[in-house]
Protein backbone atom coordinates (compact mmCIF):
# COMPACT_ATOMS: atom_id res chain seq x y z
CA UNK A 1 0.00 0.00 0.00
CA UNK A 2 1.42 3.36 -1.00
CA UNK A 3 0.64 6.37 1.20
CA UNK A 4 0.55 9.88 -0.15
CA UNK A 5 2.65 12.49 1.64
CA UNK A 6 -0.46 14.16 3.15
CA UNK A 7 -1.69 10.82 4.55
CA UNK A 8 1.71 10.13 6.12
CA UNK A 9 1.65 13.54 7.82
CA UNK A 10 -1.86 12.86 9.15
CA UNK A 11 -0.81 9.44 10.50
CA UNK A 12 2.24 10.98 12.13
CA UNK A 13 0.17 13.79 13.71
CA UNK A 14 -2.40 11.26 14.96
CA UNK A 15 0.34 9.13 16.52
CA UNK A 16 1.82 12.21 18.23
CA UNK A 17 -1.63 13.16 19.58
CA UNK A 18 -2.06 9.66 21.02
CA UNK A 19 1.37 9.83 22.65
CA UNK A 20 0.44 13.14 24.25
CA UNK A 21 -2.84 11.68 25.54
CA UNK A 22 -1.00 8.69 27.05
CA UNK A 23 1.52 11.03 28.70
CA UNK A 24 -1.31 13.14 30.14
CA UNK A 25 -3.00 10.01 31.54
CA UNK A 26 0.30 8.83 33.04
CA UNK A 27 0.72 12.21 34.70
CA UNK A 28 -2.81 12.03 36.14
CA UNK A 29 -2.21 8.49 37.44
CA UNK A 30 1.07 9.38 39.13
CA UNK A 31 -0.26 12.60 40.69
CA UNK A 32 -3.52 11.04 41.96
CA UNK A 33 -3.75 9.31 45.34
CA UNK A 34 -6.37 6.96 43.89
CA UNK A 35 -7.67 6.03 40.45
CA UNK A 36 -11.01 4.22 40.19
CA UNK A 37 -12.13 2.43 37.01
CA UNK A 38 -15.89 2.51 36.48
CA UNK A 39 -18.30 0.65 34.20
CA UNK A 40 -21.11 3.04 33.26
CA UNK A 41 -23.60 1.10 31.10
CA UNK A 42 -27.05 2.60 30.64
CA UNK A 43 -26.63 5.99 32.34
CA UNK A 44 -28.94 8.74 31.16
CA UNK A 45 -27.51 12.18 30.47
CA UNK A 46 -29.08 13.52 33.67
CA UNK A 47 -27.63 10.67 35.76
CA UNK A 48 -24.20 11.15 34.18
CA UNK A 49 -24.34 14.90 34.88
CA UNK A 50 -25.28 14.25 38.53
CA UNK A 51 -22.43 11.77 38.82
CA UNK A 52 -19.94 14.22 37.33
CA UNK A 53 -21.15 16.92 39.74
CA UNK A 54 -20.75 14.54 42.70
CA UNK A 55 -17.18 13.78 41.63
CA UNK A 56 -16.45 17.48 41.15
CA UNK A 57 -17.78 18.30 44.66
CA UNK A 58 -15.56 15.56 46.09
CA UNK A 59 -12.51 17.05 44.33
CA UNK A 60 -12.21 14.22 41.81
CA UNK A 61 -11.70 14.34 38.07
CA UNK A 62 -14.03 11.97 36.20
CA UNK A 63 -13.35 11.23 32.52
CA UNK A 64 -14.33 8.72 29.90
CA UNK A 65 -11.07 7.63 28.29
CA UNK A 66 -10.18 5.06 25.67
CA UNK A 67 -9.27 1.72 27.20
CA UNK A 68 -6.24 1.36 24.94
CA UNK A 69 -4.86 4.73 26.08
CA UNK A 70 -5.38 3.97 29.77
CA UNK A 71 -3.91 0.46 29.35
CA UNK A 72 -0.86 1.90 27.57
CA UNK A 73 -0.39 4.53 30.29
CA UNK A 74 -0.54 1.89 33.05
CA UNK A 75 1.76 -0.43 31.11
CA UNK A 76 4.32 2.35 30.61
CA UNK A 77 4.23 2.86 34.38
CA UNK A 78 4.97 -0.84 34.82
CA UNK A 79 1.46 -1.79 35.97
CA UNK A 80 -0.20 -4.61 34.03
CA UNK A 81 -2.85 -5.72 36.54
CA UNK A 82 -5.52 -3.52 34.91
CA UNK A 83 -5.39 -5.13 31.45
CA UNK A 84 -8.47 -7.30 32.15
CA UNK A 85 -10.45 -4.42 33.69
CA UNK A 86 -9.97 -2.18 30.66
CA UNK A 87 -12.64 -3.77 28.47
CA UNK A 88 -16.07 -2.41 27.64
CA UNK A 89 -17.23 1.08 28.58
CA UNK A 90 -14.82 2.52 31.12
CA UNK A 91 -14.69 5.84 32.91
CA UNK A 92 -11.82 6.82 35.16
CA UNK A 93 -11.99 8.87 38.37
CA UNK A 94 -8.76 10.50 39.54
CA UNK A 95 -8.69 11.67 43.16
CA UNK A 96 -6.27 13.55 45.36
CA UNK A 97 -7.66 11.61 48.33
CA UNK A 98 -7.47 7.85 48.83
CA UNK A 99 -11.17 7.51 49.67
CA UNK A 100 -13.06 10.32 47.89
CA UNK A 101 -13.59 8.66 44.49
CA UNK A 102 -14.48 5.33 46.13
CA UNK A 103 -17.11 7.03 48.32
CA UNK A 104 -18.72 8.79 45.34
CA UNK A 105 -18.80 5.71 43.12
CA UNK A 106 -20.12 3.32 45.78
CA UNK A 107 -22.88 5.81 46.67
CA UNK A 108 -23.69 6.14 42.96
CA UNK A 109 -23.85 2.34 42.57
CA UNK A 110 -26.44 2.15 45.35
CA UNK A 111 -28.46 5.05 43.96
CA UNK A 112 -28.41 4.07 40.27
CA UNK A 113 -29.26 0.36 40.70
CA UNK A 114 -26.52 -1.36 38.73
CA UNK A 115 -26.33 1.15 35.87
CA UNK A 116 -22.84 1.85 37.10
CA UNK A 117 -20.34 -0.42 38.78
CA UNK A 118 -16.79 -0.45 40.07
CA UNK A 119 -14.24 -2.37 38.02
CA UNK A 120 -11.17 -1.81 40.19
CA UNK A 121 -8.90 0.91 41.57
CA UNK A 122 -5.26 1.91 41.84
CA UNK A 123 -4.33 3.12 45.33
CA UNK A 124 -0.82 3.47 46.77
CA UNK A 125 0.71 1.88 43.66
CA UNK A 126 -1.40 -1.25 44.06
CA UNK A 127 -4.36 -2.87 42.29
CA UNK A 128 -7.50 -2.83 44.43
CA UNK A 129 -10.44 -5.10 43.59
CA UNK A 130 -14.17 -4.29 43.96
CA UNK A 131 -14.30 -5.42 47.59
CA UNK A 132 -11.29 -3.23 48.36
CA UNK A 133 -12.97 -0.21 46.77
CA UNK A 134 -16.08 -0.82 48.89
CA UNK A 135 -13.89 -1.04 51.99
CA UNK A 136 -12.18 2.22 51.00
CA UNK A 137 -15.56 3.92 50.66
CA UNK A 138 -16.40 3.04 54.26
CA UNK A 139 -13.20 4.51 55.67
CA UNK A 140 -13.21 8.06 57.02
CA UNK A 141 -11.36 10.60 54.90
CA UNK A 142 -7.90 11.81 55.82
CA UNK A 143 -9.33 15.10 57.13
CA UNK A 144 -11.84 13.24 59.33
CA UNK A 145 -9.08 11.03 60.74
CA UNK A 146 -6.91 14.08 61.49
CA UNK A 147 -9.85 15.82 63.18
CA UNK A 148 -10.52 12.73 65.35
CA UNK A 149 -6.86 12.51 66.28
CA UNK A 150 -6.66 16.20 67.18
CA UNK A 151 -9.87 15.89 69.17
CA UNK A 152 -8.49 12.99 71.15
CA UNK A 153 -5.25 14.90 71.73
CA UNK A 154 -7.16 17.99 72.90
CA UNK A 155 -9.46 16.11 75.28
CA UNK A 156 -6.90 15.64 78.08
CA UNK A 157 -5.82 19.28 77.85
CA UNK A 158 -9.43 20.46 77.92
CA UNK A 159 -10.20 18.21 80.90
CA UNK A 160 -7.10 19.46 82.73
CA UNK A 161 -8.13 23.07 82.09
CA UNK A 162 -11.60 22.25 83.42
CA UNK A 163 -10.13 20.73 86.58
CA UNK A 164 -7.88 23.75 87.13
CA UNK A 165 -10.75 26.20 86.64
CA UNK A 166 -12.86 24.15 89.06
CA UNK A 167 -10.13 24.28 91.70
CA UNK A 168 -9.69 28.03 91.35
CA UNK A 169 -13.47 28.53 91.40
CA UNK A 170 -13.74 26.51 94.65
CA UNK A 171 -10.77 28.41 96.12
CA UNK A 172 -12.42 31.74 95.33
CA UNK A 173 -15.69 30.55 96.89
CA UNK A 174 -13.84 29.35 100.03
CA UNK A 175 -11.89 32.61 100.36
CA UNK A 176 -15.08 34.61 99.85
CA UNK A 177 -16.82 32.57 102.60
CA UNK A 178 -13.89 33.16 104.99
CA UNK A 179 -13.92 36.91 104.30
CA UNK A 180 -17.70 37.04 104.91
CA UNK A 181 -17.26 35.19 108.26
CA UNK A 182 -14.53 37.63 109.31
CA UNK A 183 -16.69 40.58 108.26
CA UNK A 184 -19.56 39.27 110.45
CA UNK A 185 -17.37 38.70 113.48
Amino acid sequence: MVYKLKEVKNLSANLENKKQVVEAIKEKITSAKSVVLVDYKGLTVLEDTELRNAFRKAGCEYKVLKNTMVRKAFNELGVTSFDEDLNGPTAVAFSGDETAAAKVIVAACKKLNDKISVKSAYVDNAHVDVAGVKALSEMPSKEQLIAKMLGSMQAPITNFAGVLSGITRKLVIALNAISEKKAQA
Side-chain angles (χ1 to χ4, degrees):
M1 178 180 237
V2 177
Y3 288 106
K4 295 180 183 173
L5 184 59
K6 186 177 180 181
E7 291 173 341
V8 171
K9 286 182 181 178
N10 286 340
L11 289 174
S12 177
N14 193 21
L15 183 62
E16 279 303 312
N17 288 340
K18 288 181 180 181
K19 285 181 181 178
Q20 289 175 355
V21 169
V22 169
E23 286 301 315
I25 294 171
K26 280 174 40 181
E27 185 178 313
K28 288 179 189 290
I29 290 170
T30 55
S31 65
K33 298 264 181 157
S34 69
V35 179
V36 179
L37 302 179
V38 179
D39 186 346
Y40 62 94
K41 294 176 192 160
L43 282 180
T44 65
V45 173
L46 180 62
E47 292 167 338
D48 185 55
T49 303
E50 288 176 1
L51 182 63
R52 288 177 188 276
N53 288 336
F55 275 117
R56 200 171 298 116
K57 285 179 186 173
C60 303
E61 184 178 353
Y62 176 76
K63 291 187 167 279
V64 175
L65 299 168
K66 288 189 171 191
N67 288 332
T68 55
M69 301 291 183
V70 177
R71 184 180 298 114
K72 185 150 179 72
F74 271 119
N75 289 342
E76 286 184 11
L77 291 170
V79 181
T80 58
S81 53
F82 293 98
D83 289 349
E84 290 181 23
D85 298 331
L86 291 167
N87 293 309
T90 305
V92 184
F94 301 96
S95 176
D97 180 339
E98 289 84 355
T99 61
K103 287 177 188 274
V104 171
I105 197 61
V106 169
C109 289
K110 291 176 185 173
K111 181 180 176 186
L112 298 172
N113 298 327
D114 298 327
K115 287 185 178 181
I116 190 166
S117 63
V118 176
K119 288 185 173 188
S120 61
Y122 183 67
V123 181
D124 287 333
N125 300 322
H127 181 271
V128 179
D129 62 0
V130 176
V133 173
K134 287 182 181 176
L136 271 175
S137 73
E138 295 168 0
M139 291 177 63
S141 70
K142 186 176 184 178
E143 290 80 20
Q144 290 171 330
L145 289 173
I146 290 171
K148 283 182 181 181
M149 184 183 74
L150 289 175
S152 66
M153 289 172 64
Q154 273 185 322
I157 295 169
T158 305
N159 292 340
F160 183 66
V163 168
L164 287 179
S165 70
I167 291 172
T168 54
R169 190 174 329 131
K170 288 180 182 178
L171 179 64
V172 169
I173 291 171
L175 290 175
N176 192 23
I178 291 171
S179 71
E180 284 178 5
K181 274 190 176 181
K182 285 188 178 184
Q184 288 177 356

